Structure formats: C-alpha cells, structure tokens
Amino acid sequence: MFGIYARRSAVVAATTALAATSVLLTAPTAQAAMPTPVSAATARTYLGQLTVAAEGSSSGYSRDKFPHWITQSGTCNTREVVLKRDGTNVQQNASCAAVSGSWYSPYDGATWSAASDVDIDHMVPLAEAWRSGASSWTNAQRQSFANDLTRPQLIAVTDNVNQSKGDKDPAKWLPPRAAYKCTYVRAWVHVKHYYGLKVDSAEKSALQTALNGC
C-alpha cells in the first residue's frame, strides 16, 4: 500500500456596511490553490485500479489517531498554511494566525473575511479513510495523510458546508456548487489511489457517474 506512499470572476463593489459582517458579497478574485488533481481520464483509470470492498468498521476510530495540524514551519501549523495558501491578501500575526484576508469556498461559491468561518476540509475524511484501509496504518502514516499538502487532500471551505459533508463519501455527498463536482471527484480518486484506499460499490458507482460527466 505504501510502496508509493513515501505524495474568483470580476470583483463587484462592496459597501462599507460589509465591514461589520464576515460574509463578503463579492465575486472571487482567486480560486483556492489546492494542488491540482489528476485529469478526469487519469481519474477514471485510477478508479478502475482501486480495490472494491464493503466499507470497514468505524470501531477503534478516533481523530486523535490522525494527528493533524502539525507544525509545518516556524509557528505555522498545517491549518494556517492552508489558510494562507487558499486565501487572498491573508495577513498573519506573529503566531501565524490569519488576522485578515478573504477566502473563497469552491464547494458553495461563498466568500468569507473571517478565518473562523472557514474549515480546512480533508478531501477524503479521516473516518472514511479509517474505514477504507487506514485502520491498519501506523500513526505516522495517518499523520502524513491528515497533513498532506502535496496531494489534493486539504482545502479551505465554508465551515457549515464542510460540517454537512462530515465523513460522507461521494455516494452520499457532493459539493452543492455543480461547477466544482468534477474537480472534487478527481481529487477524491487521486487521494484514494495514492494512499491505496478501498472504495465500496456505491461509492465507485457515484464516482464513475460523476467522472463520466467531466
């Protein structure tokens, strides 16, 4: 499994009243800079190579078994690195916390000006990974997965949209913004393939259908 493991439209005028809100009623000036997933064609190939099996048990799962938001450099942890990467005009304090900036969520098309309104989503959720094979990994391997800045596994999105996703796979949840669904499923397959994670039959069918529309 781990043989290969070693991997916004024009801006509209904003009124001063917006300063008191956390939602910015502006069109995005930049897309989130998540690493680009493989093409749809490659994703279809990768999907065909994934092991199809019934989803495993959640028994024994804990987020603590996927140590995340580890220090990346200086005082900056993984969440802060992604907030800086995916935001626009992000300013950080001496502790690396984002104190200003804007974040466009490709899942729903919303733009936010408070980092507290933004979650860092694990493309393949930690609990989903556990049920798909990560239960047999070491904590070090799970830590790498939970903090992966190289694959399209981490992305800044609207917090309540991320919470609605939870640990669901694409058979149960896809981004509400239709324009992003293709990127989403390409990223999902990219991550699962890289980490040798399994897919269940409903998940594979949903991924095939979505990829065929890309």
Side-chain angles (χ1 to χ4, degrees), residues 180-199:
Y180 199 71
K181 290 178 181 177
C182 183
T183 301
Y184 184 88
V185 296
R186 287 161 45 211
W188 183 282
V189 173
H190 185 155
V191 171
K192 280 220 160 177
H193 184 268
Y194 180 83
Y195 285 99
L197 294 169
K198 300 171 184 176
V199 290

Side-chain angles (χ1 to χ4, degrees), residues 159-213:
D159 55 1
N160 60 358
V161 175
N162 183 48
Q163 290 153 22
S164 74
K165 171 183 172 177
D167 63 355
K168 302 179 184 73
D169 69 37
K172 303 179 182 71
W173 190 92
L174 286 170
R177 180 170 164 261
Y180 199 71
K181 290 178 181 177
C182 183
T183 301
Y184 184 88
V185 296
R186 287 161 45 211
W188 183 282
V189 173
H190 185 155
V191 171
K192 280 220 160 177
H193 184 268
Y194 180 83
Y195 285 99
L197 294 169
K198 300 171 184 176
V199 290
D200 62 46
S201 57
E203 177 187 356
K204 182 174 182 178
S205 178
L207 289 164
Q208 286 176 323
T209 298
L211 287 169
N212 287 340

